[in-house]
């Protein structure tokens, strides 16, 4: 009975789909852009200020894969910037997916942090991403487009790490907001919302800590087999962007098992 094993696994399922990658010019974003771009997705790469880097990535994607891609810059905490991001995506077609990599490590000693430091971390790590997700979901629903949103948290939001309150608390709030949005926007033609929580990865905000030796003990104590790579995260994002996906309201921690093992 050949039909019993007639499973469907679509290849190049993102081909022609429009994706907005906010904060997409950094290491994790760039890996995701390459993975999606070579599959034929149409991309908008957003960045806070380093437009030259975003344009360099866009040029690489056009040259290597023939990707339709635009680069835009601005702070997603600002209404006008979010409109500009979404309008840039609209020039490529109906928005299908948003991946928001945006964030800041908020490296301020908790004992000396004041209201301003906390406010800044909240704006960058929570308010901006949540508002962009809200606006993207509204745009998808307005256009009658089912789609997927992937927000970025951190392993520090799903496990306890001393000294991480400035950064971890807003990222934990982001997880809760994402789950509420997944509930609100679900349904047959709805928008799926999920969260990726990276661990110690050789890209983005963790790279400086790796280079400073902050996480060497995790290797020495065999808590993790190796440091994470951008490709590890990009593959998970690609899973969550899969059209007709069956996962929503979830958090996937990509940390090599660090948060489930004893840490000295």
């Amino acid at each position: 009975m050949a039909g019993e094993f007639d499973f469907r696994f679509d290849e190049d399922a993102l081909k022609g789909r429009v994706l907005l990658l906010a904060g997409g010019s950094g290491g994790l974003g760039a890996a995701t852009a390459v993975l999606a771009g070579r599959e034929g997705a149409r991309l908008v790469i957003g960045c806070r200020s380093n437009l030259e880097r975003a344009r360099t990535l866009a040029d690489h994607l056009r040259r290597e894969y023939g990707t339709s891609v635009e680069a835009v810059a601005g702070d997603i905490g600002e209404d006008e910037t979010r409109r500009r991001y979404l309008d840039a995506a609209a020039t490529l077609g109906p928005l299908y997916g948003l991946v928001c990599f945006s964030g800041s490590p908020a490296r301020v000693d908790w004992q000396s942090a004041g209201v301003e430091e906390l406010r800044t971390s909240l704006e960058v790590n929570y308010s901006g991403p949540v508002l962009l997700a809200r606006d993207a979901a509204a745009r998808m629903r307005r256009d009658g487009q089912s789609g997927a949103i992937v927000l970025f948290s951190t392993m520090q939001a799903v496990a306890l790490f001393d000294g991480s309150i400035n950064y971890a608390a807003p990222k934990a709030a982001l997880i809760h907001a994402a789950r509420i949005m997944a509930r609100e926007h679900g349904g047959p033609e709805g928008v799926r919302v999920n969260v990726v929580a990276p661990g110690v990865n050789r890209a983005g905000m963790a790279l400086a800590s790796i280079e400073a030796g902050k996480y060497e003990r995790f290797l020495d104590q065999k808590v993790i087999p190796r440091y994470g790579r951008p490709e590890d995260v990009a593959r998970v994002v690609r899973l969550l962007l899969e059209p007709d996906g069956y996962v929503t309201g979830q958090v996937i921690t990509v940390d090599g098992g660090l948060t489930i093992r004893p840490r000295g």
Side-chain angles (χ1 to χ4, degrees):
M1 297 177 60
E4 182 180 357
F5 307 112
D6 188 16
F7 301 108
R8 194 182 90 182
F9 296 101
D10 293 335
E11 295 182 3
D12 298 333
L14 291 181
K15 186 173 182 178
R17 305 272 183 172
V18 177
L19 305 179
L20 169 56
L21 309 181
S25 61
L28 300 180
T32 301
V34 168
L35 184 59
R38 73 179 190 180
E39 191 173 337
R42 301 176 180 180
L43 306 177
V44 172
I45 298 172
C47 63
R48 184 181 179 91
S49 58
N50 194 346
L51 188 56
E52 181 179 356
R53 178 181 172 88
R55 285 174 171 165
T56 299
L57 173 58
D59 289 342
H60 172 80
L61 292 168
R62 293 189 194 102
R63 183 174 61 253
E64 295 296 322
Y65 310 110
T67 307
S68 295
V69 55
E70 300 294 333
V72 293
D75 181 356
I76 61 173
E78 299 174 354
D79 294 347
E80 177 56 34
T81 296
R82 295 195 302 276
R83 282 194 293 270
R84 187 149 38 84
Y85 277 29
L86 293 170
D87 289 345
T91 65
L92 301 176
L95 179 65
Y96 166 75
L98 163 68
V99 187
C100 188
F101 300 90
S102 304
S104 168
R107 291 192 177 98
V108 178
D109 177 37
W110 164 243
Q111 299 303 325
S112 62
V115 171
E116 189 58 36
E117 288 82 6
L118 295 180
R119 180 183 296 116
T120 297
S121 179
L122 186 66
E123 289 174 354
V124 176
N125 292 310
Y126 173 79
S127 302
V130 165
L131 290 172
L132 182 58
R134 178 201 66 185
D135 294 352
R139 183 71 64 99
M140 293 174 192
R141 301 299 289 267
R142 185 199 73 181
D143 295 341
Q145 173 76 42
S146 62
I149 292 174
V150 181
L151 299 178
F152 265 68
S153 183
T154 171
M155 67 176 182
Q156 296 178 46
V158 299
L160 302 180
F161 289 82
D162 293 346
S164 67
I165 290 178
N166 299 1
Y167 179 52
K171 286 294 192 179
L174 183 69
I175 290 173
H176 197 67
R179 297 191 70 199
I180 294 172
M181 285 189 286
R183 181 182 175 92
E184 291 178 342
H185 296 297
E189 301 298 328
V191 178
R192 291 174 292 106
V193 185
N194 291 289
V195 179
V196 174
V200 183
N201 197 288
R202 284 193 174 278
M205 291 179 286
L207 182 58
S209 295
I210 288 176
E211 292 178 341
K214 179 179 178 180
Y215 296 123
E216 284 185 7
R217 69 184 189 279
F218 295 144
L219 294 180
D220 295 340
Q221 298 168 6
K222 295 182 171 45
V223 176
I224 52 177
R226 59 172 173 82
Y227 293 134
R229 305 184 185 104
E231 295 89 340
D232 298 323
V233 174
R235 284 191 289 266
V236 173
V237 174
R238 173 60 185 79
L239 166 68
L240 297 175
L241 290 174
E242 180 74 22
D244 193 33
Y246 204 55
V247 179
T248 191
Q250 303 303 309
V251 182
I252 300 181
T253 305
V254 188
D255 69 346
L258 193 153
T259 53
I260 62 171
R261 297 192 181 101
R263 307 184 304 274

